[in-house]
Amino acid sequence: NDVTDYYTQHPTGTKYKITDIRMKSGYKNNGNASYSGTINGNVNVNLSFAKVKSITYFNVNFRMKSGVYTNAYSSYTCATKVGRVYPGDVIRLQKVYSNGVAQLVCPWSDSSGSYNRTVYCKISELKFKATKYIQAYSGVNGSTCGRVYPNDVVTVCEIYSSGWMKAICPWTGGVNKTIYLKCSSIY
């Protein structure tokens, strides 16, 4: 009990059980919650731990009109789904996390009327419907390469702290094209 390493020889037939596995702060258990068995020769139980990557974020402040239903979660871990963002909802993005999640304010309704609610969405699931022409670029600070048309549904790929977005847009000829947009010009 309460050891970081254990080795003792026990007779064949001895039953063992390892429970209450706790990690040091900043680590996670990659293995089982407990281990048990019977000793019938050499038994070697090695617990597997990994350092937890810290989640960072940067602030953003821009709006977009949702183009599709998007799952909404209660936190940046996306562990608990709380509903969906609806197509046509005008959402305001506030933070972008290093795990590919965005914090946003979404218009939600309840029995007493409308109100805004902070939720979290996976960036890979976000799509917006263009409300106007938006200049498209070949890269961050790149040359112009065309524009997004009103009512195009654009897939968000990545949002950068510099205020740019990598996206996929329907393009002339029935193809999808990877483009870059200034976040401030979206809505």
Side-chain angles (χ1 to χ4, degrees), residues 97-176:
Y97 290 85
S98 58
N99 65 341
V101 173
Q103 176 188 357
L104 51 97
V105 175
C106 179
W108 287 55
S109 298
D110 64 6
S111 58
S112 66
S114 294
Y115 65 100
N116 291 327
R117 181 169 176 189
T118 299
V119 295
Y120 301 80
C121 295
K122 295 176 182 176
I123 291 172
S124 62
E125 295 178 0
L126 285 175
K127 294 183 180 190
F128 71 88
K129 188 171 189 175
T131 59
K132 61 182 181 179
Y133 290 104
I134 306 167
Q135 189 65 56
Y137 298 86
S138 60
V140 173
N141 294 319
S143 59
T144 60
C145 63
R147 59 186 180 168
V148 176
Y149 282 69
N151 296 318
D152 280 352
V153 176
V154 179
T155 302
V156 178
C157 297
E158 197 168 349
I159 301 169
Y160 304 108
S161 61
S162 61
W164 287 81
M165 173 189 295
K166 180 180 179 181
I168 298 173
C169 182
W171 215 252
T172 305
V175 298
N176 290 321

